[in-house]
Amino acid sequence: MSHPGPEGADSPFDSLHLELSSTVDRVAVELRRAVFDGELESGTPLREVALAASLGVSRPTVREALGILVAEGLATREPNRGVSVSTPDPDSVRDICRARLVLEGDGVRRWPTAGDTLRDAVRTSLVRYTSAVRAGGSYQELNERHLSFHVSLVGLAGSPRLVAMAESLMVELKLALAQVDRIRRNAHDQADSHTALVMLLERGDLAGAETFLEKHLADAERSILDALGLSAGR
């Protein structure tokens, strides 16, 4: 809507506006949180009527929010069956871990030339993660800080695009990790292994760091698939 200026003419700034977070975005955030926290299990139907009543919003708002989750891969829409929480696919889990090795391995190899700022980002993310582990942080906090450490390794390449790719992979991985935690409520016990990796880098043992990272990601893949009962058929 245009508002007349002092002389009755339209203001050149009429098209400028600020938008607060929409209700759709807030619903998507809450659904995303419930999925990542393991409150909504894989395969759980996401019924528009029930969600609208629970969240106190309209069905169209819920429908739009579900569309966001479908686009992110956190939910699946099937004809005549509606939308449900996505189920981790074993091939996708393996592919994510392969992609992580490419991205994180490249970062590890660039440690000597990455510069102090990028190396300090890795050190800082490690401290944040290990501190949260020692403090008994919530699963959501530990998961976020754990994955942030791995993204910081990718950051050593100095490429915002590679970091964005890594962050996208982590969103997909969170779905599987949320389900793993729901199944076995596993405690985070990887603080020591992450510290060992950084120590290898600090000593300049790039070959050792690469080997360590490769085994670490292979173990992570196997652990996720075993916990979800998806190992068969490899």
Side-chain angles (χ1 to χ4, degrees), residues 88-156:
D89 175 73
D91 289 336
S92 292
V93 171
R94 295 180 185 118
D95 195 35
I96 289 170
C97 289
R98 283 194 295 268
R100 288 181 62 194
L101 180 58
V102 171
L103 294 173
E104 294 177 35
D106 180 64
V108 163
R109 287 188 293 274
R110 293 175 183 268
W111 174 270
T113 59
D116 290 339
T117 299
L118 296 178
R119 288 197 296 266
D120 283 344
V122 173
R123 296 173 182 124
T124 299
S125 64
L126 174 65
V127 170
R128 287 175 176 168
Y129 173 53
T130 56
S131 297
V133 171
R134 288 194 298 270
S138 67
Y139 174 75
Q140 184 177 19
E141 179 186 12
L142 295 177
N143 194 22
E144 291 286 349
R145 295 193 179 191
H146 173 210
L147 296 181
S148 291
F149 169 76
H150 284 277
V151 172
S152 74
L153 294 177
V154 179
L156 291 168

Side-chain angles (χ1 to χ4, degrees), residues 39-220:
E39 294 175 11
L40 295 176
E41 303 176 12
S42 294
T44 300
L46 299 173
R47 308 296 187 194
E48 290 181 8
V49 174
L51 286 172
S54 177
L55 296 171
V57 297
S58 67
R59 285 187 64 183
T61 295
V62 170
R63 190 176 304 122
E64 287 189 56
L66 291 177
I68 293 174
L69 265 65
V70 170
E72 293 175 343
L74 299 179
T76 304
R77 190 188 305 275
E78 298 183 52
N80 303 318
R81 297 188 63 180
V83 179
S84 60
V85 178
S86 295
T87 299
D89 175 73
D91 289 336
S92 292
V93 171
R94 295 180 185 118
D95 195 35
I96 289 170
C97 289
R98 283 194 295 268
R100 288 181 62 194
L101 180 58
V102 171
L103 294 173
E104 294 177 35
D106 180 64
V108 163
R109 287 188 293 274
R110 293 175 183 268
W111 174 270
T113 59
D116 290 339
T117 299
L118 296 178
R119 288 197 296 266
D120 283 344
V122 173
R123 296 173 182 124
T124 299
S125 64
L126 174 65
V127 170
R128 287 175 176 168
Y129 173 53
T130 56
S131 297
V133 171
R134 288 194 298 270
S138 67
Y139 174 75
Q140 184 177 19
E141 179 186 12
L142 295 177
N143 194 22
E144 291 286 349
R145 295 193 179 191
H146 173 210
L147 296 181
S148 291
F149 169 76
H150 284 277
V151 172
S152 74
L153 294 177
V154 179
L156 291 168
S159 169
R161 287 179 175 81
L162 292 180
V163 169
M165 291 171 64
E167 290 174 340
S168 177
L169 289 174
M170 296 312 175
V171 170
E172 294 186 66
L173 190 61
K174 280 183 184 179
L175 174 62
L177 291 177
Q179 303 310 314
V180 169
D181 183 65
R182 178 187 61 78
I183 291 170
R184 66 186 190 190
R185 309 306 301 177
N186 60 311
H188 273 252
D189 57 0
Q190 300 182 59
D192 289 344
S193 66
H194 288 68
T195 300
L197 173 59
V198 173
M199 289 179 66
L200 288 169
L201 291 172
E202 298 281 17
R203 291 200 298 265
D205 186 358
L206 297 187
E210 281 191 73
T211 300
F212 191 99
L213 177 65
E214 184 173 3
K215 182 180 185 302
H216 177 74
L217 294 181
D219 289 345

